[in-house]
Amino acid sequence: MQIKHNLLDIEGTTAPIAFVHEILFPYAKKRIHSFLKNYQFSDEKWKEIQIEYHKDFLFHEPSFIQKFTMGNSANEIPKELSKDMVSLYFEYLIEKDRKFGPLKEVQGKIWKDGYESHEIKSTVYEDVPKFLKQSIQEGKKNHVYSSGSVEAQVLIYQYSVLGDLREYFTSYFDTAVGGKREKESYLRIANTLSALPSEIRFFTDIVEEADAASLAGMQVVILNRPGNLPQKSHSFPIWDHF
């Protein structure tokens, strides 16, 4: 089946893992307390946050206990998360690299401020623009699927060290379509693109994501970029670059 669409992950695929973990995450963590002081969550989002917090409260992981008892003379963890403690909880979620929608939304807004003030420039691999341009010339469309919010995805390509790359992408998908390790997520993306899964080639650095996309019927390529995490044995094609 002829490939009509490229579906690309970001972290470890088109951008180094180090950029996300050493630049973006610390930038958001440092500013999340001041940002959330005047930020209003919708009732729906606040309920979602409370549900997530309650799961962590019941699980009582050691790092969660430490986060909420540090400097607390009563040495007690609140059963309900108050709005003045949500920044502390989000800081914990950043440390855990939790793929949580409301956190991703807030991080995206903080990063937007950083990009627009020129404090942040995203690192994108040098072979990416040429590959995207060539794909378009061949009649293919390029799309993004990442755990980061769509807003954060757009910012990475808008404010890259290689220039504004948004012209090369047709659409963006985040975990609103589902988790990246779930077959159904890739079927939803194919449906949105009005394409057969077999007409889509998915690029990622994670085997479990590749497995899910492959089960949905997509073709898959694993990227082996410098600094990527070792992957379990698999039969997918491996590319060191585009």
Side-chain angles (χ1 to χ4, degrees), residues 133-155:
K133 184 177 181 179
Q134 183 176 332
S135 294
I136 292 172
Q137 291 172 344
E138 294 170 354
K140 302 183 183 74
K141 293 182 178 179
N142 301 310
H143 314 271
V144 181
Y145 181 30
S146 173
S147 58
S149 67
V150 166
E151 182 178 31
Q153 296 172 23
V154 173
L155 290 168

Side-chain angles (χ1 to χ4, degrees), residues 103-118:
L103 169 64
K104 294 296 182 183
E105 180 181 307
V106 168
Q107 284 177 314
K109 294 181 185 304
I110 294 173
W111 292 331
K112 185 174 188 291
D113 291 342
Y115 283 115
E116 291 179 346
S117 65
H118 304 293

Side-chain angles (χ1 to χ4, degrees), residues 34-48:
S34 58
F35 181 86
L36 287 176
K37 279 182 181 179
N38 301 309
Y39 189 75
Q40 294 294 322
F41 291 101
S42 67
D43 291 342
E44 183 182 353
K45 292 289 183 185
W46 182 244
K47 183 178 180 181
E48 191 177 346

Side-chain angles (χ1 to χ4, degrees), residues 1-8 131-132 135-136 138-144 168-171 173 186 189-203 217-221:
M1 181 71 69
Q2 182 182 1
I3 296 297
K4 296 181 180 179
H5 302 270
N6 291 322
L7 182 64
L8 300 109
F131 173 76
L132 297 174
S135 294
I136 292 172
E138 294 170 354
K140 302 183 183 74
K141 293 182 178 179
N142 301 310
H143 314 271
V144 181
Y168 299 122
F169 294 101
T170 300
S171 56
F173 300 93
Y186 299 90
I189 289 173
N191 184 59
T192 301
L193 299 180
S194 299
L196 296 172
S198 57
E199 295 175 327
I200 302 171
R201 182 168 51 182
F202 177 53
F203 296 88
M218 292 185 184
Q219 299 188 40
V220 177
V221 173

Side-chain angles (χ1 to χ4, degrees), residues 159-178:
Y159 293 98
S160 88
V161 293
L162 303 179
D164 188 343
L165 305 178
R166 289 176 297 169
E167 65 178 298
Y168 299 122
F169 294 101
T170 300
S171 56
Y172 302 81
F173 300 93
D174 58 22
T175 50
V177 302

